[in-house]
Amino acid sequence: MPAPQCASCHTARAALRRPRSGQALCGTCFCAAFEAEVLHTVVAGRLLPPGAVVAVGASGGKDSTVLAHVLRELAPRLGISLHLVAVDEGIGGYRDAALAAVRRQAVRWDLPLTVVAYADLFGGWTMDAVARSTAGSGRSRACCTFCGVLRRRALEEGARLVGATHVVTGHNADDMAETVLMNFLRGDAGRLARGGGLGSPGEGGALPRCRPLQLASQKEVVLYAHFRRLDYFSEECVYAPEAFRGHARDLLKMLEAARPSAVLDLVHSAERLALAPAARPPPPGACSRCGALASRALCQACALLDGLNRGRPRLAIGKGRRGLDEEGPPREPQPSRPPTSEPVPDF
């Protein structure tokens, strides 16, 4: 059976059916529709005002690559300027290849690029060093917890370094639905309360952040990258296979198979969630050590680094932080080296 005509231009043959709507479109019309929807998300949500200097979190993966490409296409209409900011977490055998993809993108799209490294920002700590430090602590699977917190801080520092007024990240609808599920499963009311909306306004001096792809499905992000022939890095991080997020992802796939709208339903449920007064987190303050936004005396990044330097990384993760103020000998970060053939502790 021949492919149907494109439902938009009515001239070309359709190359796909949109996963959610079932609309048959050619590749060109699909990409135009995708860009128009991202534009609507940004404009309707008032995410990026004219004149904004936008730091695009660039990892080299499909999501950040699509985000950077779409915003580059929309920049003249939005009146914004873009600056790619990449983070080198210090993951041997993985991050170098991803950063090479980011550098190719910067050259191809004529966008400025700045790379910030964990080792420079966090007293010599890299993710490989964190993995070795936590291997015997009972938290050897928590690398993604450390990395998520430190990466957010590193991106903020990189954005400030380039004079950005806003930060954007490539989280898509599937990512956000997984996060909502994870927070429900953990019973984390504080994160559930902060998880709605398309970003954060920039409380306590932090830069405003937003997620222009939050309403776009992962399938359509991949399709856009395919039809635009985008060059991106597709290998999974060596510390990701056993991450808790993987279980949420598997659960989400089962839910989506039974109810195709499950992903967006979860995203929108987080936007509409209202907590009882007793369950609402206290207003954030400032970290006593670095001045960043914090809900406790220490922000998450400083708490994690404090635990690592004291040789007690397990005290710096999760809801309980008992022992963070206890005295203890500081621990020097171990020098970074590529992973060996031995099993590497994962999330």
Side-chain angles (χ1 to χ4, degrees):
M1 179 181 294
Q5 237 180 17
C6 173
S8 180
C9 67
H10 304 291
T11 55
R13 289 291 182 184
L16 76 154
R17 287 190 180 276
R18 299 195 72 175
R20 288 175 185 158
S21 66
Q23 186 182 31
L25 295 177
C26 65
T28 301
C29 289
F30 164 73
C31 290
F34 186 93
E35 291 167 4
E37 289 167 3
V38 175
L39 176 63
H40 179 266
T41 298
V42 172
V43 173
R46 300 180 180 180
L47 304 180
L48 300 172
V53 178
V54 182
V56 182
S59 68
K62 67 180 187 310
D63 297 312
S64 68
T65 299
V66 166
L67 175 64
H69 185 275
V70 171
L71 289 183
R72 179 176 174 270
E73 295 293 311
L74 300 178
R77 299 169 67 179
L78 293 170
I80 61 176
S81 59
L82 306 178
H83 196 122
L84 301 181
V85 177
V87 177
D88 182 359
E89 303 94 340
I91 302 174
Y94 168 77
R95 182 46 70 194
D96 289 345
L99 288 175
V102 176
R103 292 188 176 97
R104 292 194 298 270
Q105 294 163 8
V107 172
R108 184 175 297 113
W109 299 334
D110 194 26
L111 291 175
L113 168 65
T114 296
V115 180
V116 292
Y118 279 12
D120 297 331
L121 295 173
F122 305 129
W125 287 102
T126 65
M127 275 313 302
D128 285 343
V130 170
R132 291 191 295 273
S133 178
T134 59
S137 68
R139 292 290 183 177
S140 60
R141 295 185 179 183
C143 290
C144 292
T145 298
F146 282 91
C147 196
V149 172
L150 298 181
R151 183 179 177 80
R152 181 180 180 88
R153 170 62 62 80
L155 183 56
E156 178 87 7
E157 295 296 328
R160 291 188 183 281
L161 185 65
V162 303
T165 60
H166 292 71
V167 178
V168 296
T169 58
H171 297 88
N172 60 47
D174 295 62
D175 296 327
M176 299 312 299
E178 290 166 9
T179 299
V180 173
L181 273 179
M182 290 166 64
N183 290 336
F184 269 116
L185 294 172
R186 288 169 170 161
D188 195 330
R191 283 191 172 87
L192 282 169
R194 297 190 298 268
L198 295 165
S200 56
E203 297 177 290
L207 293 175
R209 287 180 176 241
C210 65
R211 301 177 288 267
L213 301 184
Q214 180 166 310
L215 302 181
S217 72
Q218 180 170 267
K219 292 175 183 175
E220 295 208 338
V221 170
V222 172
L223 286 169
Y224 183 90
H226 169 73
F227 287 114
R228 289 299 194 202
R229 301 179 183 275
L230 300 183
D231 170 26
Y232 63 88
F233 181 72
S234 58
E235 291 184 22
E236 186 177 52
C237 175
V238 296
Y239 296 120
E242 294 185 23
F244 180 53
R245 181 174 289 273
H247 299 291
R249 183 174 298 128
D250 292 341
L251 177 56
L252 183 62
K253 288 178 181 177
M254 291 189 289
L255 293 173
E256 192 176 17
R259 182 183 176 88
S261 64
V263 170
L264 276 183
D265 288 344
L266 279 166
V267 173
H268 291 314
S269 71
E271 295 172 357
R272 302 184 182 103
L273 181 69
L275 296 180
R280 292 173 190 161
C287 175
S288 60
R289 182 168 299 170
C290 71
L293 198 67
S295 57
R296 304 190 184 204
L298 293 180
C299 67
Q300 286 185 317
C302 287
L304 291 176
L305 291 168
D306 187 87
L308 288 169
N309 289 327
R310 291 173 182 270
R312 301 196 201 101
R314 68 185 308 166
L315 295 179
I317 296 180
K319 298 177 182 177
R321 289 184 180 173
R322 294 188 308 274
L324 284 177
D325 297 323
E326 296 173 6
E327 293 299 323
R331 179 172 179 169
E332 292 295 326
Q334 302 176 37
S336 179
R337 61 177 183 272
T340 66
S341 58
E342 298 177 1
V344 179
D346 296 329
F347 187 107

